[in-house]
């Protein structure tokens, strides 16, 4: 395994048998594994098979093996309640990678005042990055990046209808942002945002240990 | 002429001769006319031909004939400095229709704090609608509609590059807004937003005079 | 709650349990709530739980709590019979917000003569806005806006096939309209059109009470 | 030459020399030719070279050779003044093919009442088809097809901006029409609409002569 | 009913009860009706209810009432076997409108030689138009229009995968055809093509009876 | 240099000085070079600088250095006269790579009969592949692949307007072809088609020499 | 049957009865047939009906009749494990056409080092072409074409989510490749890639036998 | 000025006079300024006006004021020579922000071997992030992210033609990457990538100074 990239499995489209086989192989070889995008019906079965697995139903993730002590903090904000599944995928991936997530959900732009308190908290806690999950018009990451000076990672979600274009409006909105300090990952890719944030944390720690 | 719709001419693609002929016809028949999207080189020529014409270079508009006393107020906000041309087109149309525009430019989401003062002013002045002009990620109308309770009319602009998609990202962003109380017009259509706002003003005045 | 924006819940993707919990919370705190986009199977269950709830099956809406006396009128036109679900969502939202809807359904452009009588009626009744719901080629709002001088709010619907592009052709058609006095909301967003119309009504009433 | 298809040359992208050579070849071999999409600067030159050529500047067409006696009538309607160039291309092609065009321009849906007189005239004159040229929201062909019972051929134009999508909104609008009896050709293809109409006229004449 | 436009019902999205009610209403008022896009499970039920109804399972159509004597002939070609459903919808509509369809199926461009015999037959039989149904790359209508001098009506189908874009590639292909004499209708709209062809037949007959 | 891939330079966007420098470097190191997409004004200058350069104005290519003896034949067909520039780019690249091109231009589907003679010739000459260049509806490669049993390489061109979508309709049409035995390269990429064909020729020659 | 094109049936959308009938017809007339895109539930049934049929469940293919001795070799690479279904369709088609496939799966660009060994093997075995199957960002064919000098045929797959655009990103990526020597087929079209490769093999063999 | 975000001006669409005025204002207030996207003809003029300005012609940037001592290193890779303008914009922005850029240009995937040396160097120098600039198929960032464990920031460029879609293919390719550890900014946005990288450097330095 290359340093910094997680032992992760993309669960979508895999049968229960395939998942069990892959998990066992990873655990044997690496001691641990993270599985994402697991179907609801598979989650319960995996719980039974892997007794002490960590299951997150909203995130649809499974972690088998030890969870490391956190060595850094990353904030995870979500704009609406429907974006929480993706935000939770990010959080579970962070936890798996040894990062403590600070969660602030449902702080979208329709009520901008709810945003200031969380951002103050982020700064006090010394987060190394802020992951902002937002669907529909995807405005939240722009607003956040206009207010802070740590890297902001935007995660567009496929939440919305009509002109939301299954996440493309949020994606393009974030990329076209008039705020700088914002980079993005694929639609609904909470996992990818967390891996990227973890690499920032590693670089920050490297600095620290100098 | 049907009540409430302006005597307006779309100047794009018309030659100077055509414009002069149309303006003269309108002035003769209706006493006044508004011309939009006039080429820079035509503006000066029209100034010479129609001595007391009102010319706005940034808006690229020409008004020939009397300007009525304002009977209502409408706010016009712009997100960035590049959006001002479209905002000014809206303002000139409002003035032509007897509405006083309250202008607040360059108040975009990258510095959200600059927004609160203008909105307070809008409420104090009793505007009947707020026109919000924004390009790039087009987030400003969503933020404004989340803070006020008068109708907000979003005007996406073609400002930006790459994923701004010549205004479509701003347009879709506004239509997908998680804030309610927001309706939109075509990209760069400052004129249309102003006509729509003027119809709200007319309805409000009708109420008033009851 | 900010004045003018309804206590509304977007029902799509929420389980029955989630809906019940949210409705109870709203009723407790605000005394009333509107739920939109409720699945057919949930509608009946909610009827049982909330005895005197107002349920509209075509609109897929639920209102729990008091319905205010109407303080204004808004017309709601639909082009085809398939657009009625969206039109009804607009009507229920209007009723919830204290506005009386005047309904004129199936008056599309394939038989333009059916349109004139309803519009005459609208003017007589003093509506403050006209909501026009249309799918397929979405031509009706343009035709209506060419005939009246109150604000017209276009609601494109996802009705149609092939080049209808799930509502985008109707949407773009309305935005490109050669008639002025027309603004639009997202595809199938009857709710948003009604909230926007209610803000016009509030502004008109404010005028009235001066 | 296959019966019914015109000796036509697509002028776009061809140099003056190429055009002259092709025209001379056609005239020599077939006695006549129609050239479409000729650059403004080439039109004058061609006028000089081919003394009795028929030049239409708005249509940007050149006809060299005899013009046949008309054997049928086809109506050509345009929605706006900007669509006239395409409408004129259709008319010149009709004339070249022995059809008399009945022109009714600027009768778009923003003023629907202007439409009824022309349509009555069409019926009286016994046109075999109606070509309707419209840009922007492209609603006119739908409205016309809802009122007549001869074949309607829609020609979307690239007139408009933003959501007009250079003619695609008009095109999709026409194809999604809730009126039947309407078929379409490519954007700005006045030539193609006229050729198609002429084939209808030929079939009608064949009937006549039975 | 306006002359030339059929008493037709679009069956998609309508329940069995709604269909029965509408059919009865039409039969009572006009004596006959055509229903298109009927779900497979409804077809059998309708057969039971309306004893002598004409049901076409591939076309998914139902005709209740008399079928007129044919007064003209129209050819219907299909490119592949998968396009036959749409071709049959066109045929049933033609029959309903008093036109005899000449069917030539599976004559696509992958075996161009299979095409010549059918086209010879079309000319001999004196068809007034040729409807060409084709999905995937949609090349067949272009090839046909290059070989005949009657109007060709292209019907793109949603058959294909990947770059077929659910019919848009076939549609755009037909509209961009380098053959003239071709006009098109919406994707999968066999009904619309047949109505359009019937209007050509009417015009031809009008000629005949002069 | 890796075997089989040409010493080629993409001329677009490069200044005359840059081109001269690159050409000289290549000639020095490899003895020869092919430059594609050279601006018209640069072609003449390069002719002067590199005395015995082979210049093709329609192809906009420059070859400096020796031209090898041909070791195989490849046919190059074009649908329309406007596609010839791209076809010529393919031919020049073939020549540079030691392949003799057999050219058959203007054999598009609007006159399918013109196609049979060239294809017969191709088979007689033993071509190892057929490159088919076509814009607009891009039907020609499908028709050719339906008639031969050598690999057909489709090159869509950006020729056309409206629904031609600057080559995407031709591209998608070719990829969706109901004929098998057809693979494609990027829009206007005559160069790429020729390189690919040359690799087939190499493989064929390798066979031969066994 | 035309030389070189397989006796193949596209199984999608066909019922079990239709498939059985077509298979029997082909076997009777040609002695053999390949069926692709067969539903999982049909595969088992076909196995029962056609005792010695060759069934590949991952490829979803059925071959009835004799399998020829291989006369050439073609490599089939896949980028990820999810792309294997398409890769297997290509392999079964190759086998049906008398080509031996060399399979190298899961060698995508995220671990570029895994790629070199397979490519060395390809060269040693003298493959006449390399089929590269890749979804998501579709980078693998570009990388391969940059390393070898035999024709590379890219097959984009619909694997991925969000910006993968159901295969279009992989498709466009391959067509835009900065490596030459690469041509592509439709998304998920393993069959088409194999037929194309088999035509290269035939041409190579023709060379050999000279 | 908010910490970490540069005093930068977007030069596109601004006249020379406007630029001079804005530069003077910034210099007066903040002592320094970075201007990006300056037209070639303005660069020279600005050089004259602001004697000791740092001008980069390929980057089209101007820096007026002091350049800070670098406090961190960031690598900047480009795939092709045409991508260098964007890469240089990133470098100038880094320099302005106190970061030393390590440049490795023209290391794209068509010759993957050229990539390994630069990446080894990056690791040795302890870069905190790698900016990878790539157009056309945009594969390079995926390949790099598959080989390193520092954050990779992808910058798609608008270089390419046809299916490159002015940068969207590269953008979507990067977002769909099967490699994790990669986030992206808008097309051609070298500036944004550099600002984002500088925030990572700040976080790393914060760690360092603990
Ligand atoms: N939710 C996710 N979104 C995107 N990529 C993921 C996700 N979960 C896992 N992956 C990636 O997918 C790879 C495993 O894919 P697979 O071999 O199909 O299980 C891992 O190395 C991760 O980089
Ligand atoms: N304005 C036009 N739009 C579309 N097709 C045209 C037009 N004018 C001529 N054509 C067609 O173009 C063909 C000639 O193309 P070319 O050989 O390029 O001159 C004629 O046979 C016509 O079918
Ligand atoms: N298959 C079809 N495709 C398109 N339009 C149809 C079709 N069948 C019926 N129609 C049209 O739909 C109208 C009736 O729609 P509805 O009132 O929803 O039944 C008829 O007047 C026809 O013009
Ligand atoms: N998987 C496939 N993808 C694309 N084309 C196929 C496939 N399988 C078979 N075909 C083609 O489809 C044709 C048969 O189509 P059909 O008549 O619908 O069975 C054959 O001649 C093949 O060229
Ligand atoms: Mg949001
Ligand atoms: Mg903005
Ligand atoms: Mg409608
Ligand atoms: Mg119109
Ligand atoms: Mg076809
Ligand atoms: Mg062609
Ligand atoms: Mg891949
Ligand atoms: Mg690249």
């Amino acid at each position: 395994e290359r340093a910094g990239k997680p032992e992760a499995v993309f669960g979508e489209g895999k049968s229960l048998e395939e998942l069990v086989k892959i998990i066992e192989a990873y655990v044997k070889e690496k001691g641990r594994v993270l599985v994402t995008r697991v179907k609801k019906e598979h989650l319960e079965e995996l719980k039974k098979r892997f007794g002490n697995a960590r299951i997150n139903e909203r995130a649809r993730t499974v972690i088998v093996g030890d969870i490391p002590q956190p060595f850094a903090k990353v904030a995870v904000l979500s704009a609406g309640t429907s974006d929480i599944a993706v935000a939770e995928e990010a959080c579970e991936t962070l936890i798996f990678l040894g990062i403590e997530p600070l969660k602030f959900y449902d702080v979208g732009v329709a009520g901008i005042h709810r945003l200031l308190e969380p951002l103050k908290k982020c700064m006090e806690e010394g987060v190394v990055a802020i992951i902002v999950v937002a669907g529909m018009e995807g405005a939240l990451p722009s607003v956040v990046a206009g207010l802070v000076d740590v890297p902001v990672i935007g995660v567009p979600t496929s939440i919305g209808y009509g002109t939301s274009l299954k996440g493309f409006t949020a994606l393009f909105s974030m990329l076209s942002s008039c705020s700088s300090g914002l980079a993005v990952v694929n639609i609904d890719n909470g996992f990818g945002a967390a891996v990227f944030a973890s690499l920032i944390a590693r670089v920050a720690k490297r600095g620290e240990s100098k």
Side-chain angles (χ1 to χ4, degrees), chain A:
Chain A
E1 179 210 1
R2 218 174 50 266
K5 298 294 168 66
E7 308 82 353
V9 175
F10 188 66
E12 208 150 286
K14 300 210 168 78
S15 67
L16 185 63
E17 292 64 46
E18 289 175 311
L19 286 179
V20 169
K21 208 176 293 175
I22 298 174
I23 291 172
E24 282 170 347
Y26 263 100
V27 170
K28 195 170 175 186
E29 209 181 329
K30 319 264 185 175
R32 61 200 298 260
V33 70
L34 162 69
V35 194
T36 63
R37 307 242 172 161
V38 184
K39 264 198 219 140
K40 299 238 176 269
E41 49 268 39
H42 289 0
L43 284 177
E44 281 177 49
E45 286 303 315
L46 291 177
K47 177 125 218 156
K48 288 183 203 154
R49 302 272 192 118
F50 302 94
N52 47 13
R54 176 187 167 103
I55 307 267
N56 183 320
E57 282 189 19
R58 283 204 293 185
R60 293 170 45 211
T61 52
V62 176
I63 295 175
V64 181
D66 292 343
I67 303 226
Q69 275 306 102
F71 70 94
K73 288 175 185 169
V74 165
V76 179
L77 276 65
S78 94
T81 50
S82 317
D83 304 319
I84 292 178
V86 175
E88 285 286 305
E89 189 188 78
C91 290
E92 290 295 311
T93 306
L94 287 172
I95 287 166
F96 182 79
L97 292 166
I99 318 246
E100 180 186 338
L102 270 65
K103 307 183 186 182
F104 304 98
Y105 291 169
D106 203 12
V107 295
V109 298
I112 208 85
H113 45 91
R114 276 178 301 181
L115 185 61
L116 300 178
E117 195 56 36
L119 293 183
K120 215 177 124 221
K121 182 85 177 161
C122 287
M123 294 306 100
E124 288 166 10
E125 294 284 336
V127 300
V128 296
I130 301 179
I131 293 172
V132 186
V133 182
M136 302 175 84
E137 92 293 342
L140 189 59
S142 294
V143 173
V144 171
L147 294 167
V148 302
D149 60 357
V150 291
V152 175
I153 304 161
V155 188
T157 73
S158 52
I159 294 302
Y161 61 92
T163 56
S164 295
L165 289 174
K166 299 189 184 305
F168 280 88
T169 293
L171 171 65
F172 289 167
S173 199
M174 294 176 193
L175 285 165
S176 303
S177 177
C178 49
S179 308
S180 58
L182 173 58
V184 309
V185 294
N186 197 1
I187 294 164
D188 291 332
N189 193 2
F191 167 81
V195 174
F196 190 84
S198 80
L199 295 183
I200 296 178
R202 288 170 56 93
V203 163
K205 206 186 162 189
R206 198 176 67 188
E208 221 169 299
S209 53
K210 270 202 238 181

